[in-house]
Amino acid sequence: MELDARIPAGPLEKKWDLHRFEMKLVNPANKRKHGVIVVGSGLAGASAAASLGELGYRVQCHCFQDSPRRAHSIAAQGGINAAKNYQNDGDSIDRLFYDTIKGGDFRAREANVYRLAQVSVNIIDQCVAQGVPFAREYGGLLANRSFGGAQVSRTFYARGQTGQQLLLGAYQALERQIAAGTVTMYPRSEMLDLVVVDGRARGIITRDLVSGIIETHLADAVVLATGGYGNVFYLSTNAKGCNVTATFRAWKRGAAFGNPCFTQIHPTCIPVSGDYQSKLTLMSESLRNDGRVWVPKAPRDPRAPGDIPESERDYYLERKYPSFGNLSPRDIASRAAKEVCDEGRGVGETGLGVYLDFADAIGRLGESAIRERYGNLFEMYERITGENPYRVPMRIFPAVHYTMGGLWVDYNLMSTLPGLFVLGEANFSDHGANRLGASALMQGLADGYFIIPYTLGDYLATARPAPVDPFHPDVRATEAKVRGRITRLLGINGTRTVDDFHRALGRTMWQHCGMERNAAGLNRALQEIPALRREFLEDVRVVGTGEELNQSLEKAGRVADFLEFAELMCRDALHRAESCGGHFRTEHQTRDGEAQRDDEHFAYVAAWEYAGEGLEPVLHKEKLVFENVHLATRSYK
Ligand SMILES: Cc1cc2nc3c(=O)[nH]c(=O)nc-3n(C[C@H](O)[C@H](O)[C@H](O)COP(=O)(O)OP(=O)(O)OC[C@H]3O[C@@H](n4cnc5c(N)ncnc54)[C@H](O)[C@@H]3O)c2cc1C
C-alpha cells in the first residue's frame, strides 16, 4: 500500500488555489453521465450530496435514519468556527490554522488544516445565504463566542442548537436537489459493504431497514460521510445509532485506517448515574464561556456547593492554566477533572463530577442574559438531573465524544482505495490528536460544500471509470458475503443480548483505552476483546428475521464490527508510545502530569492496512512535515 498525501506544491496559502486551477474538470454535459453514491446525510454528507447534485452529477444519498435531517449532526450544540474576525480581536486564517495545529498536538497535516481555515469564511456566507439563523449582535451583525483552545471569539452559533440549524440549511439544499431529480434519497438504507472492482470503489451493498431487502448500488465513485465511532465505548455523547460499520468494512476492502486510537473525551458531560444507562448527554463547551469549573479544596467535602466559601474552592483550571483558564482545550480540561476526582475531591454521589458554576456570570450579567445564551442547555440539564442550574452549579464529568481517527485520506479527501472519498468525522484528516471545539461542523461543511465538488471532478475526469457489470464476480461475491453475515448472526440463537456484549466491550475500552492508557492495560484489552468476540459469536441472541424491520439485527451487525474494530484501536494506542492530545499514555507524561510527545519517533499519521482474516494489520506511516509552524510543547498556562 502506498501512502501518497498528494499535497500540492507551492506556498501554504496558495496551495488550494493553485490546486483548484490545476485539477481537471468534467464538462457540464458530461456530469450527468456520472453516478456518485454518497453514504451519510449529516452535515458532511448532505452538503456533499446537495453540492454534487447542483453541479449536475447523478447522486444517490443513503442514510439509516428515516429522514436525512435526523443525522447525528443535529445534536451539535455550541457552534461552528470561522476566521471572519468580526470581533476585531486578532483573529485571522493564520491564527485559526495555528490554533488547530497546536490544539491537535502537532499530529495533523499542515496543508489540509490551512485549507480548512481558508474555507471556513465561505461556510458562514453560504449558511447565512441559506437562512441559517445565527445569533446576532444588537446592531445586526453575526455574534461570536469563544471555544476551548482559542483566545479569540470566532465561534458562530444558533443558541445551543447550531447543528440542528446548519443541518436544516443543508437538508433544504438537499431536498431541492431531490425535487430537481439530481439526487435520489435512500432513507432507512444501511450500507453493509463496499463494492470494489479492479481496485476501485464502485458501489455499495445495502439493507433496506424496513423490508430487509439486500440491494446492490453501483456508481463511478463512492463518498463516505458516515460519522464517528465513539459508540465503541458504549457510553458516549453520540446518537445511539452512530457506528463504525461503513468505514470498518471499507477498511477490510483496502482503505487504510488513520490513527484509530485518537478519541476525544469531552470534559463537560452529565455524569453517569447508574449501571443501566445507555447514553450520555453533553453540556456544550460554550458553557465554559460563562461557567467556572471548581471542586472543594478538601477531599470528600460533604457540604452543599452553596455552603462552601470562596476560600475553600479550587478553580483548578484557572489556577493551572491562567492564560486559557476555563477555556482550556478538551483533552487538558478532561484530564484535570479526572485528576481532582482521583484525589477524592470529586462531587456528587459517585465522586465522579466537578462543578460548572454560573453564579458569577448570573450576578454580573443577570439571569435573563444567561437564559438567552444557554436556555435550552439549562433546560436539558434540569430535565435530566432534576436540579436547577440557575440556582445550583451543574455537575459535569468527562465522556467520550468524538473520534479524530477515521479512514486515511489524501489532500483530495480520497482514501487509499481509488474512487472512495471520505468526508466529515469519518475521515482522520484535520484534528490531529485532539479536536478543538466547534471545528467538527466547520470541517464537515468544508469537506462537503467546498472540497469534494472540486476533487471528485478531478478524479472522474482523470480516471474515466467505465460502467461496471452488475454481474461482475466481485459484485456478486460482496453481496453474497453480506447475506452470509446476516444469516450467521440470526443463526447463533444464544442467550445474551447484543447490548450486554456492547456494554462489556465499552467497559474494557473505557478502562484500558479511554482517558488514560498504558501498555499493561492495552495488552489486557487485546486479550479481553477477542475473547468477548468469540463469546458473542457463540452466545448472542438476535431475535426476529432478516426480512423485516429488526433493530436487534441492526445492532448485532454494528456491535460485531465494534468488537473487531476495538482491537485495531488498542493496537494503535499500544504502538504509539508517546502521549499526544487525547491519547494519554501514563508512561509518557511530564513531571506535572502533562502529555509528553515524542516527535522524533511519532510525528506521523499511523495508517493501518487490513491484512486478512486472523492476520495482524500492517502499519504504514505518513510522516508529518511542519514547515510553517514550529513544533513546540503545547502550553496553555
Ligand atoms: C452532543 C454533541 C454535540 C456536538 N456539538 C458540536 C458543536 O457544537 N460544534 C462542532 O463543531 N461539533 C460538535 N459536535 C461534533 C459534530 O456534531 C460531529 O462531529 C458532526 O456533526 C459529524 O457530522 P458528519 O456529517 O461527519 O456525521 P453524522 O452527522 O454523524 O452523519 C452520519 C450520517 O451517516 C449515515 N450513516 C452512518 N453509517 C451508515 C451506514 N452504514 N449506512 C448508511 N448510512 C450511514 C447516518 O445515517 C448519517 O446520515 C458535537 C457532537 C455531539 C455528540
Side-chain angles (χ1 to χ4, degrees):
M1 174 180 285
E2 194 203 347
L3 284 187
D4 180 358
R6 292 195 180 81
I7 299 169
L12 190 62
E13 61 283 1
K14 290 264 167 53
K15 281 186 195 294
W16 180 230
D17 279 350
L18 291 172
H19 191 54
R20 278 196 296 174
F21 178 64
E22 281 162 3
M23 276 188 287
K24 291 207 167 133
L25 300 173
V26 180
N27 98 42
N30 283 344
K31 287 199 177 92
R32 58 179 165 269
K33 296 182 187 156
H34 288 293
V36 180
I37 293 173
V38 177
V39 188
S41 65
L43 284 173
S47 58
S51 304
L52 296 172
E54 179 81 45
L55 282 172
Y57 295 108
R58 281 184 291 110
V59 181
Q60 293 186 12
C61 182
H62 296 255
C63 71
F64 61 70
Q65 288 91 351
D66 55 353
S67 156
R69 59 154 294 192
R70 286 188 196 271
H72 157 70
S73 290
I74 206 161
Q77 299 173 347
I80 175 168
N81 286 331
K84 284 282 201 187
N85 192 29
Y86 282 168
Q87 305 300 316
N88 204 18
D89 58 357
D91 201 10
S92 62
I93 286 169
D94 287 311
R95 192 175 291 280
L96 175 52
F97 159 69
Y98 179 74
D99 285 350
T100 309
I101 289 277
K102 175 183 168 190
D105 220 353
F106 303 91
R107 291 292 175 262
R109 200 187 279 152
E110 278 192 345
N112 287 53
V113 177
Y114 197 86
R115 174 179 63 188
L116 176 65
Q118 284 177 310
V119 164
S120 71
V121 296
N122 305 114
I123 296 173
I124 302 302
D125 298 342
Q126 168 101 354
C127 296
V128 168
Q130 288 172 343
V132 171
F134 285 122
R136 287 177 186 268
E137 306 282 8
Y138 177 72
L141 293 175
L142 297 187
N144 289 129
R145 56 188 173 199
S146 302
F147 260 60
Q151 287 177 310
V152 295
S153 286
R154 63 160 75 97
T155 305
F156 294 78
Y157 62 99
R159 291 183 101 195
Q161 317 171 336
T162 315
Q164 165 151 226
Q165 298 305 333
L166 291 172
L167 191 59
L168 284 172
Y171 167 74
Q172 287 171 78
L174 179 64
E175 284 294 318
R176 183 167 170 273
Q177 295 307 318
I178 294 171
T182 59
V183 178
T184 309
M185 190 68 219
Y186 292 83
R188 292 290 208 175
S189 169
E190 180 162 36
M191 168 186 162
L192 293 181
D193 216 331
L194 180 75
V195 176
V196 178
V197 177
D198 297 332
R200 294 182 183 274
R202 297 307 305 267
I204 59 173
I205 311 290
T206 58
R207 177 170 180 271
D208 180 312
L209 296 181
V210 179
S211 64
I213 291 172
I214 306 292
E215 279 181 314
T216 299
H217 304 268
L218 299 173
D220 294 331
V222 176
V223 177
L224 295 187
T226 48
Y229 50 83
N231 279 348
V232 66
F233 291 87
Y234 186 68
L235 284 180
S236 91
T237 62
N238 287 192
K240 285 293 287 176
C242 292
N243 66 87
V244 77
T245 290
T247 49
F248 183 67
R249 296 195 183 172
W251 179 65
K252 286 195 149 184
R253 297 265 165 216
F257 216 106
N259 298 331
C261 80
F262 284 177
T263 308
Q264 175 159 84
I265 314 286
H266 198 299
T268 55
C269 305
I270 300 182
V272 177
S273 61
D275 285 347
Y276 288 95
Q277 191 164 348
S278 60
K279 171 90 188 71
L280 293 176
T281 307
L282 176 78
M283 285 288 104
S284 167
E285 179 162 300
S286 60
L287 293 168
R288 288 197 274 147
N289 273 266
D290 287 305
R292 296 180 70 195
V293 178
W294 66 276
V295 286
K297 280 188 180 164
R300 284 165 277 283
D301 191 327
R303 289 175 291 178
D307 297 335
I308 303 180
E310 278 296 313
S311 59
E312 292 176 44
R313 298 176 177 193
D314 180 12
Y315 292 91
Y316 58 88
L317 287 177
E318 297 171 30
R319 172 174 58 78
K320 289 179 72 172
Y321 307 102
S323 301
F324 284 70
N326 294 299
L327 284 173
S328 304
R330 294 175 177 177
D331 53 339
I332 287 177
S334 294
R335 278 200 297 280
K338 181 175 185 305
E339 196 179 287
V340 293
C341 292
D342 288 348
E343 289 163 11
R345 299 195 287 138
V347 301
E349 261 176 41
T350 58
L352 295 176
V354 300
Y355 290 129
L356 180 63
D357 194 340
F358 293 86
D360 274 3
I362 291 173
R364 197 174 61 248
L365 305 166
E367 189 173 314
S368 63
I370 296 300
R371 195 179 296 281
E372 177 75 18
R373 284 180 197 173
Y374 316 110
N376 67 318
L377 299 172
F378 274 48
E379 189 185 325
M380 201 190 321
Y381 182 87
E382 185 168 3
R383 278 200 205 166
I384 292 173
T385 63
E387 291 168 14
N388 176 353
Y390 294 101
R391 302 279 162 268
V392 289
M394 287 183 177
R395 281 176 298 107
I396 51 163
F397 194 67
V400 172
H401 179 63
Y402 182 89
T403 44
M404 281 77 68
L407 289 182
W408 183 92
V409 287
D410 64 14
Y411 188 74
N412 287 341
L413 304 182
M414 190 162 84
S415 70
T416 51
L417 259 180
L420 180 70
F421 293 79
V422 193
L423 317 184
E425 193 172 338
N427 73 26
F428 89 101
S429 80
D430 294 351
H431 310 293
N434 172 59
R435 175 175 72 80
L436 290 185
S439 286
L441 304 185
M442 170 173 71
Q443 184 224 325
L445 291 180
D447 291 0
Y449 283 136
F450 295 108
I451 299 168
I452 194 72
Y454 296 92
T455 59
L456 183 84
D458 182 55
Y459 169 75
L460 294 172
T462 315
R464 297 171 177 268
V468 68
D469 177 1
F471 296 101
H472 190 289
D474 292 347
V475 179
R476 306 288 23 119
T478 312
E479 193 181 308
K481 183 140 198 192
V482 167
R483 290 182 191 280
R485 223 184 268 129
I486 290 173
T487 309
R488 182 175 183 195
L489 286 173
L490 286 166
I492 297 171
N493 209 14
T495 60
R496 286 171 67 184
T497 63
V498 178
D499 273 352
D500 196 28
F501 283 100
H502 196 176
R503 212 179 278 123
L505 175 67
R507 272 194 298 267
T508 295
M509 291 301 284
W510 179 247
Q511 203 172 352
H512 301 304
C513 195
M515 215 175 343
E516 283 187 356
R517 299 131 182 221
N518 57 49
L522 288 164
N523 277 316
R524 188 146 168 216
L526 285 169
Q527 304 285 319
E528 284 177 16
I529 296 165
L532 190 64
R533 195 166 60 233
R534 277 193 297 277
E535 276 176 54
F536 174 88
L537 291 174
E538 282 163 15
D539 199 22
V540 71
R541 184 170 184 80
V542 184
V543 294
T545 72
E547 288 78 43
E548 59 180 337
L549 178 81
N550 185 342
Q551 292 196 316
S552 172
L553 177 62
E554 286 168 35
K555 276 201 262 182
R558 294 171 192 166
V559 171
D561 289 337
F562 278 143
L563 279 163
E564 286 189 60
F565 177 69
E567 211 176 310
L568 183 67
M569 287 178 75
C570 293
R571 210 175 279 285
D572 185 40
L574 182 62
H575 108 280
R576 192 172 277 278
E578 65 160 354
S579 292
C580 56
H583 170 66
F584 191 77
R585 285 281 300 262
T586 53
E587 311 96 316
H588 304 280
Q589 51 183 308
T590 60
R591 220 178 279 159
D592 50 354
E594 303 291 347
Q596 194 161 42
R597 284 200 328 262
D598 176 352
D599 293 332
E600 194 190 329
H601 299 104
F602 291 100
Y604 61 76
V605 178
W608 295 88
E609 179 186 1
Y610 179 64
E613 219 57 59
L615 297 174
E616 286 203 2
V618 181
L619 173 64
H620 301 268
K621 299 174 184 177
E622 180 200 337
K623 188 170 161 27
L624 292 167
V625 180
F626 294 94
E627 292 170 328
N628 300 275
V629 298
H630 170 63
L631 271 170
T633 301
R634 213 159 55 122
S635 169
Y636 292 94
K637 288 191 170 163

